[in-house]
Amino acid sequence: MNNIISLSGNLLLIICLATSILQSLNLFTTNSYTNNNVKLFSTIQFTCIALAFLILIFLFTQSNFGFELVTFHSHSEKPFLYKISGAWGNHEGSLLLWILILTLFNFLYSLSAERDKLYKNKVTAIQSILIIGFVLFSIALSNPFALNESPQSEGLGLNPILQDPLLAIHPPILYFGYVGFSLVFSLAVAGLLTSNINNVWAETVKSWTFLAWTFLTAGIALGSYWAYYELGWGGYWFWDPVENASLMPWLAATALIHCVVVLQKKNTMQSWTVLLAIITFSLSLMGTFLVRSGVLNSVHTFASDPGRGLYILSFLFLVLITSFTIYALKSDGIDKENSYSLVSRDAGIMVNNWVLITILFIVFLGTIYPLFTDLVLNTSLTVGPSYYVMTITPVIIILLLFMIISPLVNWTAGKLSNVIVKMRYVLISSLTLVLILSLYFYLFSLTELAIIFLCIILILTSVSSGIIYSRNNIIITPSLGRTLSHSGFGLLLLAIVSNAVYSEEKIFDAKVGDTLKLSDNTFKFEKINQFEKQNYNSIQAIFYLMDNNKQVEKFSPEIRFYNDPPTITSETSIVHRLFEDIYIVMNVTQATNSISVRIHVKPFMTFLWIGVILIILGGVLSVFIKNKKINA
Amino acid sequence: MTSPVKKRLIKFLLSLIVLAISILIIVYNLRDNIVYFYSPSELQDLNTSDVRILRLGGLVSNGSIQSEPNGIHRFKINDGNEEISVKFEGILPNLFAEDKGVVVEGKYIKDELFVALKVLAKHDENYMPPEVIDSLKQTGNWQGE
């Protein structure tokens, strides 16, 4: 029976491969009428992979230990949800998910209305070449349907810290973003090949780009929130290489969405936009390579399983070399020479493109440098988080400055004096606000004050340009997407800075009945509970936040002892209040009669997440809002 | 010189200057924030006047963990050949135990005492930091596959 399942799984992959090869041949047709199979082929590709993926999920839910993948990554006593998510919580399964989304985007695109049939053929052909690359990889080097040589009676389990509802949906959403840029990449390369890059092209590309960007943003945010409550270190971003791997395509993509809008409105920046599309997808590929090849843990683990790593690396280089060659050959002369004044919206957007690329470079260097020294110089080192903070902070100030000014300037040519006139109320009110804040807290450094000041202006100007109050009517302008995202970004940064300045933490050695004090807060250690769950045992401590002898909030941090594989985890207990999060985590200690407790007071965390949600909402709106073209 | 050429030249020079300055700042910052990894043997050979933050990794020596009630922990880290005493104030991670791999980050003062600011741990009982495996292999004390 298992043989048949394994065979049919592989067969589905092979059918998809064959169809993709057929579809990729469209790259060489010049006649736009011959091929109407685009829709059929894309449907077959998608159906095959979807079925294969369902089979894999089925195997995991059945805990079928005849299969290698299920044995290594599941356990019969796992809760049902995590049996399902176990299907993509590993290398082979996540690769199949990657392919599923590749074919899904190809399928969705094949359904879309596109007047230029020749162009559509090329796009789906390029997308199919990407599919071929990954399906081959899956069949030959990371087969999810590989059988165990001898059937096992029990699985090795799934890492307990990955047993979390957020982390179950985090990879699919992140991959939706990563892989969404594959279609943007295909659209860009096909556009180069057919010399088709113009404002009409940008119109099609815009929705796909915003779609992928929105998912990528949401994916990163989910990962960050997971790290915040699950890892128990009180932070939400650690400049860990795994996080950086997803931040890099996001930075390129953020530059890209702005360029696509400029291209659509003004028909300029053609070659730069295409270049960004190629870079964004390449970074998505690189992110997958970094995370999935094991190279981040150590270049030596990478060397111990060279097949997989080398395959993705060669594929990455192949994609890079081919697309850059096409770019070099075809991009010459696609730019419409449009003289624009130095004070114009596109100039401002261009400056911020540079800024985003600079941040990208900073993150890239910090992520790659340790790998380089390990591989070439054989020295182990890590790059501390302060590197990122110190280098990115000054750049962020420039970014904020141009985020504020650019939307207030005309597309073609504007005057700076007009901007200042437009901003006069906002300037005065934010300056007053910042002065009051700094006098009240008397803590900020000049950099922090500058960022906070600019964030407040950004939020105010964004809101006032998106929602106009006139003649007793509230008018919502088409730039509402930008309003939400930009004010969300301002809020996010405001929260990050204030959080960094005002966070407090303290470690206590506590016994039941103790009273713990951290700044203005008093906590009471009430009792300890012990209980058994399906796959772990737990010690739970109960704390109350006290206010004049009344119990205001309840906390219940836990330590869990998992059976398979034997692992100990600390579960945090967080109370979200409007202006601060209170965060309690405990650890086992050598001492028998007391426990170690760490309490964090983290201000403005709620605003941080609201900021992120606003950014995402802005992205969602921008997928649907159609912009008007502006004649230059 | 015609005006568009001049304009382009100014643009080009301006971006070159900006590029040079930013790369300088970035590289300078990178150099300042690098944390090197050492095994106990390598740390012994190190010039002790170096006050930078660094990482030390190896196995927690058997019977070396001493915890004081004020939250100060003392233990030793070895790589089979050399041993370094470590002092740490804070919460030890759940999976910190004798004969298990550990990586600490902090300063190496002198007289073989390492003051750890952080104890890094992973969420897996059998996890061994790759650097620790490497250094154990170098000293010939690696017993895994």
Side-chain angles (χ1 to χ4, degrees):
Chain A
M1 184 58 197
N2 280 348
N3 282 326
I4 300 172
I5 298 177
S6 171
L7 197 67
S8 44
N10 278 307
L11 202 62
L12 285 167
L13 289 177
I14 290 170
I15 296 172
C16 175
L17 182 67
T19 323
S20 307
I21 293 174
L22 282 177
Q23 191 164 38
S24 69
L25 295 176
N26 280 348
L27 200 59
F28 307 106
T29 55
T30 42
N31 190 336
S32 51
Y33 300 105
T34 46
N35 226 308
N36 281 319
N37 297 329
V38 167
K39 218 175 274 182
L40 177 71
F41 284 159
S42 310
T43 315
I44 296 175
Q45 285 168 332
F46 175 60
T47 320
C48 284
I49 302 298
L51 283 175
F53 196 64
L54 283 177
I55 292 177
L56 190 67
I57 291 180
F58 177 74
L59 291 175
F60 269 86
T61 56
Q62 297 299 306
S63 297
N64 188 327
F65 297 124
F67 287 81
E68 240 177 49
L69 198 63
V70 185
T71 317
F72 277 107
H73 301 281
S74 196
H75 193 281
S76 56
E77 282 174 23
K78 288 275 126 80
F80 188 72
L81 173 68
Y82 305 125
K83 280 185 183 169
I84 297 178
S85 68
W88 58 77
N90 56 73
H91 171 80
E92 289 84 350
S94 67
L95 184 71
L96 194 61
L97 177 66
W98 176 282
I99 301 171
L100 178 70
I101 304 173
L102 265 178
T103 56
L104 172 66
F105 271 99
N106 200 28
F107 173 66
L108 289 177
Y109 176 70
S110 75
L111 296 181
S112 73
E114 177 76 63
R115 275 161 297 176
D116 188 345
K117 291 278 181 289
L118 180 66
Y119 175 65
K120 194 170 188 172
N121 283 345
K122 301 252 187 217
V123 174
T124 49
I126 295 166
Q127 190 76 5
S128 293
I129 291 173
L130 297 175
I131 296 171
I132 293 172
F134 279 97
V135 173
L136 267 180
F137 183 40
S138 177
I139 295 174
L141 291 165
S142 350
N143 199 316
F145 299 108
L147 291 166
N148 274 327
E149 280 168 19
S150 56
Q152 306 290 317
S153 56
E154 190 49 272
L156 295 174
L158 173 75
N159 193 340
I161 61 163
L162 304 181
Q163 288 182 35
D164 184 277
L166 263 196
L167 212 60
I169 57 164
H170 165 67
I173 289 184
L174 191 67
Y175 275 24
F176 228 91
Y178 274 170
V179 185
F181 289 112
S182 70
L183 185 64
V184 178
F185 170 85
S186 300
L187 289 164
V189 176
L192 278 176
L193 288 173
T194 52
S195 306
N196 215 355
I197 310 285
N198 51 34
N199 46 0
V200 185
W201 175 84
E203 188 106 25
T204 328
V205 172
K206 188 190 150 239
S207 311
W208 297 110
T209 316
F210 270 101
L211 185 69
W213 180 84
T214 306
F215 272 101
L216 186 60
T217 314
I220 296 173
L222 282 178
S224 164
Y225 188 63
W226 170 81
Y228 176 62
Y229 74 71
E230 181 68 36
L231 294 182
W233 299 330
Y236 46 87
W237 192 267
F238 302 96
W239 299 105
D240 184 272
V242 177
E243 294 168 328
N244 292 349
S246 64
L247 184 64
M248 288 190 273
W250 186 86
L251 289 164
T254 307
L256 176 64
I257 52 178
H258 290 90
C259 286
V260 169
V261 173
V262 173
L263 178 54
Q264 185 209 356
K265 292 206 175 203
K266 284 198 62 186
N267 211 9
T268 56
M269 292 207 217
Q270 277 84 347
S271 59
W272 178 237
T273 310
V274 171
L275 188 62
L276 276 178
I278 294 172
I279 290 175
T280 306
F281 181 60
S282 305
L283 287 169
S284 300
L285 273 180
M286 197 187 79
T288 316
F289 164 72
L290 284 177
V291 174
R292 281 294 160 201
S293 65
V295 64
L296 285 180
N297 289 330
S298 161
V299 279
H300 307 286
T301 42
F302 168 55
S304 67
D305 185 11
R308 283 178 182 175
L310 275 182
Y311 185 96
I312 315 183
L313 202 60
S314 336
F315 188 68
L316 175 65
F317 276 118
L318 201 68
V319 170
L320 274 176
I321 292 168
T322 320
S323 50
F324 278 111
T325 311
I326 295 172
Y327 177 77
L329 294 176
K330 292 280 190 172
S331 72
D332 228 27
I334 62 167
D335 278 332
K336 298 267 185 328
E337 198 59 52
N338 239 334
S339 59
Y340 53 85
S341 107
L342 278 178
V343 186
S344 67
R345 198 179 294 184
D346 12 347
I349 288 179
M350 203 57 214
V351 171
N352 264 358
N353 261 269
W354 288 3
V355 172
L356 286 167
I357 298 301
T358 310
I359 301 177
L360 174 59
F361 178 72
I362 292 170
V363 177
F364 183 82
L365 202 67
T367 314
I368 294 299
Y369 186 65
L371 297 179
F372 169 80
T373 55
D374 200 357
L375 200 65
V376 179
L377 309 172
N378 209 17
T379 344
S380 295
L381 53 85
T382 42
V383 175
S386 47
Y387 157 70
Y388 299 99
V389 177
M390 280 161 73
T391 42
I392 292 176
T393 310
V395 190
I396 282 284
I397 293 177
I398 305 174
L399 184 80
L400 281 171
L401 211 61
F402 281 90
M403 270 179 90
I404 293 165
I405 298 171
S406 307
L408 300 176
V409 191
N410 282 337
W411 280 100
T412 37
K415 279 191 189 139
L416 267 179
S417 53
N418 285 349
V419 175
I420 295 168
V421 172
K422 269 189 199 171
M423 285 173 45
R424 61 187 185 278
Y425 298 121
V426 170
L427 265 176
I428 294 166
S429 49
S430 15
L431 204 58
T432 333
L433 199 60
V434 170
L435 270 176
I436 294 170
L437 280 176
S438 61
L439 287 176
Y440 186 69
F441 293 109
Y442 58 88
L443 252 175
F444 297 115
S445 73
L446 200 61
T447 330
E448 284 148 9
L449 269 181
I451 293 181
I452 288 175
F453 176 54
L454 291 172
C455 283
I456 293 173
I457 300 180
L458 177 63
I459 296 169
L460 291 177
T461 50
S462 304
V463 172
S464 62
S465 71
I467 301 159
I468 298 166
Y469 184 77
S470 114
R471 290 181 200 151
N472 297 324
N473 276 320
I474 293 171
I475 301 164
I476 292 169
T477 64
S479 60
L480 188 64
R482 186 191 73 214
T483 299
L484 289 178
S485 290
H486 280 202
S487 49
F489 184 76
L491 199 60
L492 170 68
L493 219 55
L494 199 62
I496 290 176
V497 174
S498 340
N499 186 268
V501 177
Y502 289 116
S503 281
E504 283 182 279
E505 67 168 279
K506 198 173 172 189
I507 297 167
F508 300 92
D509 222 17
K511 297 185 191 67
V512 175
D514 278 1
T515 302
L516 317 174
K517 277 192 195 310
L518 177 61
S519 58
D520 308 337
N521 302 299
T522 310
F523 301 89
K524 189 155 197 307
F525 185 1
E526 188 75 18
K527 60 178 174 185
I528 282 195
N529 297 327
Q530 292 198 13
F531 51 85
E532 276 179 36
K533 278 281 171 70
Q534 191 184 356
N535 54 343
Y536 63 85
N537 295 329
S538 173
I539 297 178
Q540 187 186 52
I542 304 291
F543 290 89
Y544 287 103
L545 174 64
M546 309 298 288
D547 184 21
N548 291 328
N549 292 328
K550 273 195 303 199
Q551 300 172 346
V552 195
E553 307 275 8
K554 185 186 174 189
F555 297 86
S556 48
E558 272 178 61
I559 299 171
R560 291 182 183 169
F561 300 86
Y562 284 85
N563 312 322
D564 280 298
T567 308
I568 307 171
T569 67
S570 290
E571 299 296 311
T572 54
S573 176
I574 306 171
V575 167
H576 305 278
R577 309 169 105 192
L578 186 57
F579 288 103
E580 62 189 17
D581 273 17
I582 298 175
Y583 183 112
I584 299 189
V585 58
M586 66 170 182
N587 289 58
V588 280
T589 46
Q590 265 67 36
T592 43
N593 55 347
S594 67
I595 55 165
S596 271
V597 184
R598 189 156 28 107
I599 304 179
H600 296 255
V601 175
K602 304 199 66 72
F604 300 110
M605 286 307 289
T606 311
F607 292 98
L608 193 147
W609 304 119
I610 292 175
V612 171
I613 291 168
L614 285 177
I615 295 175
I616 295 168
L617 279 180
V620 174
L621 270 184
S622 301
V623 175
F624 299 107
I625 290 178
K626 288 265 178 289
N627 281 330
K628 274 188 251 123
K629 188 186 157 221
I630 291 187
N631 289 314
Chain B
M1 207 188 268
T2 49
S3 130
V5 176
K6 201 173 168 185
K7 210 171 167 184
R8 217 180 259 187
L9 194 71
I10 292 174
K11 255 193 209 169
F12 179 73
L13 285 177
L14 215 69
S15 23
L16 214 64
I17 294 169
V18 172
L19 196 73
I21 294 175
S22 34
I23 287 183
L24 214 69
I25 295 174
I26 292 169
V27 170
Y28 184 79
N29 266 312
L30 183 67
R31 209 195 56 189
D32 271 4
N33 287 294
I34 282 173
V35 182
Y36 285 95
F37 179 92
Y38 296 95
S39 67
S41 302
E42 288 166 338
L43 200 62
Q44 291 265 320
D45 303 334
L46 196 72
N47 180 4
T48 46
S49 64
D50 196 347
V51 289
R52 292 165 61 120
I53 298 257
L54 39 91
R55 284 186 181 185
L56 165 72
L59 297 176
V60 180
S61 304
N62 214 339
S64 72
I65 305 178
Q66 293 175 335
S67 298
E68 293 162 23
N70 51 4
I72 293 176
H73 308 276
R74 292 172 197 277
F75 51 91
K76 289 177 175 150
I77 294 180
N78 74 79
D79 59 359
N81 289 352
E82 296 292 342
E83 203 170 47
I84 304 275
S85 301
V86 182
K87 183 184 148 192
F88 171 65
E89 185 174 353
I91 298 186
L92 289 168
N94 289 331
L95 292 172
F96 180 87
E98 287 170 357
D99 280 333
K100 297 279 179 201
V102 69
V103 174
V104 292
E105 190 176 300
K107 283 181 180 171
Y108 185 52
I109 307 292
K110 57 179 175 170
D111 302 330
E112 295 164 35
L113 181 70
F114 191 96
V115 178
L117 304 167
K118 275 186 208 162
V119 175
L120 311 166
K122 294 279 177 172
H123 289 256
D124 178 352
E125 192 190 38
N126 297 315
Y127 177 83
M128 182 78 82
E131 294 92 349
V132 176
I133 295 178
D134 282 347
S135 69
L136 285 179
K137 276 181 181 163
Q138 273 168 21
T139 55
N141 290 301
W142 172 243
Q143 273 144 17
E145 326 102 60

